[in-house]
Structure formats: C-alpha cells, structure tokens
Amino acid sequence: MAKINPKTAKAMYKATSEASKEKIAQERYGEFGFDTLTYDQQQEVYKNHPKLQKSSKDIGSTSPFSKSRCWKGYQPVPGKKAYSKGSCEKI
C-alpha cells in the first residue's frame, strides 16, 4: 500500500467533511450550503453528526452574531439570502 503524505491526508479529510456538511444542509434544511444555516441549525447538525469537523467559518465560532445570523437586536427576514443587504431587520 502506498504511503500518503500527512498533509494530503488531512486535506482530503477536510474536503470530505465540508462536502458532508453541505449535503446535510441541502437534504435536511433545503438550504444552499452549511454556511446559510442558523447557529441553532448548525449546532443540531454537529449534535447529530459528532464526527464532523467544526470550522472557523461556522457561525458562533468566532462571529459576533448571537445564536443567529443577525446582530443582537435584529432578526432574520424570511426569504432573504443570509448575510446579504437587508437580510436582517430590527426587532
């Protein structure tokens, strides 16, 4: 069996993990990708699939957002694409 470079193996594992997150987001929530899910939805995916790697891009990891894709005091607007202009409205 051929030896695999550790950096290559890590990159392959990361790519597979990211693809799995995207597939789960599309199948379960009908979203375009994992990054369009709310914080609570992302946490539910991680709870149901504990082997998935958490990423620094995920909401809540290093984000100023609080349990949502919007700033504190704002709420998501239904039908608007996440993180686009006008996607959050003041409560």
Side-chain angles (χ1 to χ4, degrees):
M1 185 170 189
K3 289 186 176 184
I4 297 177
N5 182 338
K7 288 182 181 180
T8 304
K10 185 176 182 179
M12 290 170 51
Y13 180 78
K14 185 176 179 183
T16 303
S17 179
E18 290 297 319
S20 296
K21 286 194 251 185
E22 299 300 319
K23 184 177 178 185
I24 292 166
Q26 289 174 344
E27 289 177 354
R28 181 158 174 111
Y29 300 103
E31 295 286 338
F32 296 109
F34 189 77
D35 59 336
T36 62
L37 298 178
T38 63
Y39 175 82
D40 293 331
Q41 290 171 332
Q42 287 183 358
Q43 294 309 309
E44 184 180 338
V45 169
Y46 285 130
K47 182 179 176 187
N48 294 333
H49 304 279
K51 290 188 177 183
L52 286 178
Q53 268 189 328
K54 290 189 178 182
S55 161
S56 61
K57 295 187 305 182
D58 299 342
I59 297 174
S61 55
T62 59
S63 171
F65 299 105
S66 172
K67 292 198 175 192
S68 161
R69 63 179 187 228
C70 299
W71 292 97
K72 187 175 181 180
Y74 288 79
Q75 64 185 10
V77 176
K80 290 278 190 169
K81 186 176 178 185
Y83 310 110
S84 65
K85 187 173 184 178
S87 64
C88 298
E89 62 185 10
K90 196 166 189 146
I91 297 175

